[in-house]
Amino acid sequence: MPGSDILLTIFTPAYNRAHTLPRLHDSLLSQTDVGFEWLIVDDGSVDGTGDLVRGWAEDGSPFPVRYLRQENAGKHVAHNRGAREAHGRLFMCVDSDDWLEPDAVATIRRDAMALDAGAGLMYPKLFNAQTTLDASAWFPSGTAEVELADMRMRYGLVIETAIVFDAVALRRHPFPVVRGERYMPEGSAYYDFRAPEVFHVHPDCFYRCEYLE
């Protein structure tokens, strides 16, 4: 239940991604710290995603694997459900076409020790072909914490970021749900975060991404 001793919920919304999920699953199995759960919300897939994930859960995983299914409604609706159902103190969305380096959870645990209630963490993402990060694209030197709206409005941030939320704070900022609308931009919920719900910025690059249709 929420408030348990699970450090982190890694949340993955999925729609017909049975062909990409194994890479993410393999990266989670490689984690040096298994103090997390993997929560998958299936947005109405018809490609066998459910059978795949349930098989992993039944095979004896070193971390809890939880599978929830909904009728196709969009990532934002799946995100809201994931936030409600999360058991972790922290919450990070890792998309179904992305994956993590082996030190990801251990890095989050290290940095979470300094967090106040309501605060989260922010890290740069690397695309599949990248091996290093252009430092000029990251925050100005010395920036320790920001509000999410500051990422682009104040600092002109142009890179993608992996965001680790305080789960309780995240539940206070659900995505708006409009009948028939299957897409809501992240800013429609994320930019509501204000102090003390700040985000501590770190340069570690453990999140790898590959944008697919």
Side-chain angles (χ1 to χ4, degrees):
M1 61 178 297
S4 72
D5 59 358
I6 294 176
L7 169 70
L8 175 68
T9 293
I10 294 176
F11 160 69
T12 300
Y15 177 66
N16 289 341
R17 290 306 181 102
H19 62 295
T20 63
L21 283 169
R23 178 174 60 184
L24 172 54
H25 180 241
D26 287 345
S27 80
L28 298 182
L29 288 175
S30 75
Q31 291 302 303
T32 59
D33 184 331
V34 293
F36 66 93
E37 65 170 357
W38 189 24
L39 174 61
I40 300 94
V41 176
D42 184 348
D43 191 34
S45 297
V46 293
D47 67 343
T49 290
D51 291 338
L52 181 69
V53 175
R54 283 189 290 264
W56 290 331
E58 294 167 359
D59 283 346
S61 175
F63 49 85
V65 178
R66 300 171 56 208
Y67 173 80
L68 303 174
R69 181 178 172 86
Q70 65 182 29
E71 292 186 7
N72 182 250
K75 178 180 177 179
H76 63 296
V77 178
H79 194 286
N80 286 349
R81 187 175 182 187
R84 292 194 305 269
E85 297 281 353
H87 291 176
R89 179 169 65 88
L90 301 174
F91 180 101
M92 178 173 64
C93 179
V94 180
D95 287 333
S96 54
D97 48 3
D98 299 343
W99 66 101
L100 301 176
E101 297 293 343
D103 62 345
V105 177
T107 300
I108 291 169
R109 181 181 297 279
R110 178 201 70 191
D111 297 335
M113 295 178 65
L115 293 179
D116 296 326
L121 300 163
M122 189 184 305
Y123 303 89
K125 292 182 181 180
L126 286 179
F127 286 95
N128 188 23
Q130 285 181 292
T131 56
T132 59
L133 178 71
D134 178 2
S136 66
W138 191 232
F139 286 103
S141 176
T143 300
E145 57 185 44
V146 295
E147 296 178 0
L148 278 183
D150 288 343
M151 291 193 302
R152 289 173 175 79
M153 296 178 183
R154 180 179 297 180
Y155 298 108
L157 185 66
V158 296
I159 64 172
E160 294 294 326
T161 54
I163 304 173
V164 180
F165 293 92
D166 177 284
V168 174
L170 180 62
R171 295 184 191 106
R172 292 195 286 263
H173 301 282
F175 283 87
V177 177
V178 178
R179 184 186 296 272
E181 177 58 63
R182 286 179 169 76
Y183 173 75
M184 285 287 176
E186 291 181 350
S188 63
Y190 290 179
Y191 286 178
D192 286 341
F193 283 79
R194 294 291 185 270
E197 297 170 341
V198 295
F199 293 82
H200 293 234
V201 177
H202 294 274
D204 305 79
C205 300
F206 58 68
Y207 189 115
R208 310 288 299 202
C209 57
E210 180 179 14
Y211 286 167
L212 303 176
E213 291 294 331

